[in-house]
Amino acid sequence: MSQSSFPTVRLRRLRQTESLRALVRETSVTMDDLIYPIFVDEGIDTPAPVSSMPGVFRIPERDLASEIKSIYADGVKAVMLFGISHHKDATGSDTWKKDGLLARMIKTTKDAAPDLVTIADACFCEYTDHGHCGVLTPEGRVDNDRTLSNLAKQAVCAARAGADIVAPSAMMDGQIKAIREGLDEEGFEMTPIMAYSTKFASAFYGPFRAAAGCELKGDRKAYQMDPMNGREALRESALDEEEGADFLMVKPGMPYLDILAKLRAQTQLPLVVYQVSGEYAMIKFAAAAGALDEKRIVQESLGAFKRAGADLILTYFARAIARGEL
Ligand code: PBG
């Protein structure tokens, strides 16, 4: 081992010009890495701005086909669909109806842009009248095992409607196994599962809940993870991998880079990170106040996800990046 050090070694040699820096740059982000989350509302006529997420709109369902065409034309290659339901009930049964919002928005998206990778978020909180991610017991707790069979029904409905990937985000124990079995039984053994494997009970989801119309009384701490736990996050991911996940995810993003880096060392699966609504809002409001340079902050934060080990990034900035605005 050479013991070279200053003045033989000068790390600044490779930093002198942009072309040199580009040659030795270890990480890059392209549109192939980005997934754009969108909100589809079945009950509105005109796009509704989300006040807590400047630049984000709820898309009226009737405009979805044209919006998808223009999102695809902008250069977005993958979308994650979130439905804003006006047909909520205690179980979220609209999600497994063949003419329900979930099925309709997937079908419309695939018809409008067949090559756009269409990912269906599989959860119930946008479709239950109580706002929780599953069915409730008489005592008001989320019933894990009864929710599993509903998740499988929802996943099959999504696959049947044409979803390229299903992404369960309910944080029920055993949900990947239940969904894999449900899909396989119905002949969808080739539909991949993107597991929200490490989803924390985070205050960073605040703006999303307003965007998706799923505010709830109480919290999700009995099923989502305690933000203070790192080892448990690795266990969650290892279990989802064993149950058959095709992708693992860490969510939120920026405060959880340690989890991402540790997971990178533990798994060979593609790793996804979700830059969530609160992270988006922080950047947008700080930029609007003149405190941050939005473009540079976005590039740096997405680059940091890749550097920490992410292969794919869910980000509300994806469309603006595709359009060359960021
Ligand atoms: C629903 C869901 C949430 C997010 C994605 N899917 C909210 C939650 O769990 O409360 C958050 C996304 C974001 O904040 O951008 N299960």
Side-chain angles (χ1 to χ4, degrees):
M1 275 278 278
S2 84
Q3 292 294 309
S4 317
S5 60
F6 181 82
T8 317
V9 173
R10 290 179 182 270
L11 292 181
R12 286 186 56 188
R13 275 187 207 117
L14 299 182
R15 293 180 195 151
Q16 295 177 83
T17 62
E18 178 48 26
S19 28
L20 262 179
R21 292 191 291 272
L23 273 184
V24 298
R25 189 159 294 135
E26 299 172 24
T27 306
S28 63
V29 180
T30 75
M31 284 313 296
D32 289 334
D33 307 320
L34 304 185
I35 302 166
Y36 185 46
I38 58 176
F39 300 101
V40 183
D41 192 323
E42 63 179 349
I44 55 172
D45 295 326
T46 49
V50 177
S51 61
S52 54
M53 300 175 72
V56 172
F57 294 80
R58 294 178 174 198
I59 302 167
E61 187 186 2
R62 61 175 60 164
D63 295 350
L64 183 58
S66 60
E67 266 301 297
I68 288 291
K69 286 192 176 116
S70 89
I71 287 167
Y72 186 64
D74 282 340
V76 171
K77 301 195 173 174
V79 290
M80 173 82 83
L81 300 174
F82 292 104
I84 294 141
S85 174
H86 293 255
H87 292 89
K88 302 188 186 203
D89 63 16
T91 57
S93 66
D94 193 59
T95 56
W96 62 77
K97 292 192 174 135
K98 71 174 191 314
D99 55 353
L101 174 60
L102 182 90
R104 294 196 310 271
M105 66 187 183
I106 294 167
K107 191 169 181 315
T108 303
T109 302
K110 286 310 289 181
D111 287 348
D115 294 329
L116 180 67
V117 176
T118 300
I119 309 173
D121 180 79
C123 195
F124 290 104
C125 51
E126 298 127 60
Y127 299 88
T128 50
D129 47 22
H130 45 72
H132 277 289
C133 302
V135 269
L136 300 183
T137 63
E139 301 76 43
R141 304 187 134 263
V142 175
D143 185 330
N144 192 87
D145 297 13
R146 274 176 63 220
T147 300
L148 293 183
S149 47
N150 290 347
L151 275 168
K153 282 194 279 186
Q154 179 183 156
V156 167
C157 175
R160 197 162 274 143
D164 295 298
I165 301 175
V166 292
S169 65
M171 286 301 281
M172 297 298 120
D173 288 324
Q175 64 181 10
I176 303 306
K177 182 167 185 278
I179 289 174
R180 185 70 275 156
E181 287 174 359
L183 288 170
D184 291 0
E185 268 167 33
E186 295 295 323
F188 296 107
E189 65 280 340
M190 293 303 284
T191 301
I193 300 176
M194 179 182 283
Y196 284 71
S197 50
T198 305
K199 180 174 178 182
F200 290 91
S202 172
F204 283 95
Y205 308 148
F208 173 94
R209 295 196 183 158
C214 60
E215 290 95 344
L216 79 166
K217 287 196 206 76
D219 58 50
R220 303 197 202 287
K221 290 179 187 165
Y223 40 107
Q224 298 181 349
M225 280 198 50
D226 184 337
M228 299 301 111
N229 290 359
R231 294 189 306 267
E232 187 190 352
L234 302 182
R235 279 185 85 191
E236 275 284 6
S237 298
L239 284 170
D240 280 8
E241 183 164 354
E242 272 172 43
E243 289 182 23
D246 298 283
F247 301 79
L248 299 176
M249 191 193 297
V250 175
K251 179 185 173 186
M254 210 137 79
Y256 296 88
L257 294 182
D258 58 327
I259 309 291
L260 202 52
K262 285 180 186 152
L263 205 49
R264 180 71 291 165
Q266 168 180 302
T267 181
Q268 302 304 323
L269 293 190
L271 266 185
V272 189
V273 66
Y274 199 141
Q275 182 180 50
V276 300
S277 56
E279 299 173 70
Y280 176 87
M282 290 198 303
I283 293 172
K284 277 292 187 184
F285 287 116
L292 292 177
D293 177 330
E294 182 175 350
K295 182 171 181 158
R296 291 187 55 207
I297 289 287
V298 169
Q299 289 177 350
E300 186 174 328
S301 61
L302 301 187
F305 292 138
K306 294 287 304 275
R307 193 197 63 234
D311 300 295
L312 298 171
I313 305 164
L314 277 144
T315 176
Y316 302 97
F317 291 111
R319 189 178 190 180
I321 295 168
R323 291 161 67 97
E325 294 161 9
L326 289 175

